[in-house]
Amino acid sequence: MLQRKKQRTCRKFTHKSDLFDELPDDLVVSILCKLSSSSSSPSDFINVLLTCKRLNRLGLHPLVLSKAGPKTLAVKARKWSDSAHRFLKLCVYYGNTEACYTLGMILFYCLQKPRSGASLMAKAAIKSYAAALYSLAVIQFNGSGGSKNDKDLRAGVALCARAAFLGHVDALRELGHCLQDGYGVSQNIIHGRRLLVQANALELRLSLNYVVKRCRSEHHHHYHHRVNYRSSLLSDFGCNVAVPEVHPVNMFLKEWFELRVGELGERGLRVCSHEGCGRPETRAHEFRRCSVCGTVNYCSRGCQALDWKLRHKMECGPIERWLQVEEGGGGNDGDGGLEEDVLAIE
């Protein structure tokens, strides 16, 4: 009797332990696709792959890698390695649009491979990825990766228009400033201002959606103390809502160049002063600087407008600029002289 009971117990235990193995691969792959697209960090996805050999094997399935979302691919600059590079390349190989954009930005700005980086961003842009379209527009406006003569303002405006059509807030704001200033397109002040209002309204909607999602995922009174309620351009409407999340690749750029400030300084290069950007210059005096204080510089009109209302408005003052003019005899700072490269803040 005792032997029979032991046999039954062993059979039950064996049967239960084999339940996962009996699941079809298609079902497991479907679950992993959902996980890779919605993970809040790379570790969430990697920890699952380390659970067993089967999950490790199916986690590298082409369909799973093609669905990986921005937070799954959010590599930290401090932890950048050859294995992280290979993982991103594998995701690119299997057609992941987010990986094309992320690796493209890293190659273009961090690893000094502008052609490869621009090519990957173009792949993402062809698939109507708005962030890639906007990044390519910034490259065209500045002639990044080349000389001043490589600037193509009309191409930048066209890329901005496409990204704005797809709902990219920064592209919509950039396009509004271009129309308002006649930069790369015929000047149309009324239409430009209309687009800036639309950018504010879209930013408000996205910010409120972000707040609602956070409220659902966290307890209300804990959430109230944890969310940063600073806003940028929404102050135009007297609103005070949470600032939208920065894209992980922008955080990567910011961290990467914070660790390498000395290298940039030796080459006479600067990083965009907007804290949510992280883009560096690819040649000296590529970015525009503030026309009042001359101490901050921006890769785009959109970044300047955001940083002005978020931070720089409280800090900007003309004193240091006038001292520089007196000491240096009015030294121009920019590819084409002060009047061409410097933006008026308001």
Side-chain angles (χ1 to χ4, degrees):
M1 291 291 290
L2 289 172
Q3 289 180 350
R4 289 180 182 176
K5 286 183 179 179
K6 286 181 180 179
Q7 288 176 357
R8 288 175 185 171
T9 305
C10 290
R11 286 173 184 171
K12 288 180 181 178
F13 181 77
T14 305
H15 179 68
K16 287 183 179 178
S17 64
D18 290 337
L19 286 177
F20 175 70
D21 293 334
E22 291 176 3
L23 291 174
D25 284 355
D26 290 347
L27 179 59
V28 179
V29 167
S30 178
I31 294 170
L32 289 173
C33 284
K34 180 66 176 176
L35 175 66
S36 68
S37 64
S38 60
S39 293
S40 59
S41 66
S43 59
D44 289 347
F45 181 65
I46 293 170
N47 288 337
V48 172
L49 301 191
L50 296 176
T51 305
C52 66
K53 290 182 178 179
R54 189 186 183 201
L55 285 175
N56 189 283
R57 175 174 58 83
L58 294 178
L60 298 177
H61 189 279
L63 192 59
V64 176
L65 295 181
S66 69
K67 300 291 184 182
K71 292 186 178 179
T72 303
L73 303 174
V75 185
K76 298 292 185 183
R78 295 177 184 274
K79 298 181 179 180
W80 179 254
S81 62
D82 290 338
S83 59
H85 193 173
R86 285 195 299 271
F87 179 72
L88 285 174
K89 287 175 70 175
L90 193 61
C91 292
V92 169
Y93 178 78
Y94 290 125
N96 188 306
T97 305
E98 183 65 45
C100 287
Y101 173 61
T102 299
L103 185 56
M105 289 282 283
I106 292 172
L107 288 173
F108 191 95
Y109 289 108
C110 302
L111 304 183
Q112 298 179 23
K113 296 181 179 179
R115 289 187 179 180
S116 300
S119 176
L120 286 177
M121 282 189 273
K123 284 185 179 180
I126 289 171
K127 296 179 181 179
S128 296
Y129 191 72
L133 286 162
Y134 177 66
S135 291
L136 289 173
V138 173
I139 289 171
Q140 293 295 332
F141 282 135
N142 294 318
S144 301
S147 66
K148 180 193 170 184
N149 296 329
D150 293 320
K151 291 182 180 182
D152 191 338
L153 304 186
R154 295 182 66 180
V157 170
L159 289 164
C160 260
R162 177 60 180 165
F165 175 77
L166 294 171
H168 196 277
V169 178
D170 292 338
L172 186 59
R173 183 174 291 121
E174 186 78 20
L175 186 61
H177 282 292
C178 287
L179 284 167
Q180 191 171 249
D181 301 338
Y183 189 75
V185 67
S186 299
Q187 188 174 32
N188 190 329
I189 296 175
I190 295 175
H191 187 44
R193 288 179 178 173
R194 187 183 298 120
L195 291 181
L196 293 176
V197 171
Q198 289 178 13
N200 278 304
L202 180 58
E203 185 183 38
L204 175 60
R205 181 172 65 82
L206 294 175
S207 297
L208 292 178
N209 288 342
Y210 172 66
V211 170
V212 170
K213 288 179 181 178
R214 289 292 298 271
C215 282
R216 288 175 180 172
S217 62
E218 300 182 28
H219 192 273
H220 178 70
H221 80 274
H222 290 299
Y223 172 79
H224 178 74
H225 293 290
R226 290 176 62 183
V227 172
N228 176 14
Y229 280 97
R230 291 187 308 162
S231 180
S232 50
L233 295 186
L234 292 173
S235 59
D236 291 344
F237 297 123
C239 300
N240 190 22
V241 298
V243 177
E245 286 185 292
V246 177
H247 194 285
V249 77
N250 292 103
M251 297 304 296
F252 181 96
L253 295 180
K254 183 180 177 182
E255 184 181 350
W256 179 278
F257 291 108
E258 282 177 351
L259 297 171
R260 294 165 177 79
V261 174
E263 295 179 15
L264 284 177
E266 290 175 1
R267 296 160 57 196
L269 305 179
R270 305 164 294 185
V271 177
C272 178
S273 297
H274 175 42
E275 60 183 11
C277 178
R279 290 180 178 85
E281 292 180 319
T282 59
R283 66 178 185 277
H285 309 304
E286 178 182 331
F287 291 167
R288 303 171 185 86
R289 65 176 179 175
C290 173
S291 61
V292 177
C293 66
T295 60
V296 293
N297 29 258
Y298 302 101
C299 67
S300 63
R301 285 165 166 73
C303 278
Q304 186 190 26
L306 281 166
D307 192 60
W308 171 249
K309 298 211 170 180
L310 185 65
R311 178 185 63 88
H312 189 54
K313 186 176 184 178
M314 306 298 180
E315 304 171 353
C316 187
I319 297 176
E320 292 184 13
R321 176 57 185 271
W322 304 142
L323 290 175
Q324 290 176 2
V325 171
E326 289 178 4
E327 293 175 0
N332 290 342
D333 188 1
D335 286 330
L338 201 59
E339 293 186 2
E340 179 184 345
D341 258 12
V342 176
L343 287 171
I345 289 182
E346 289 185 307

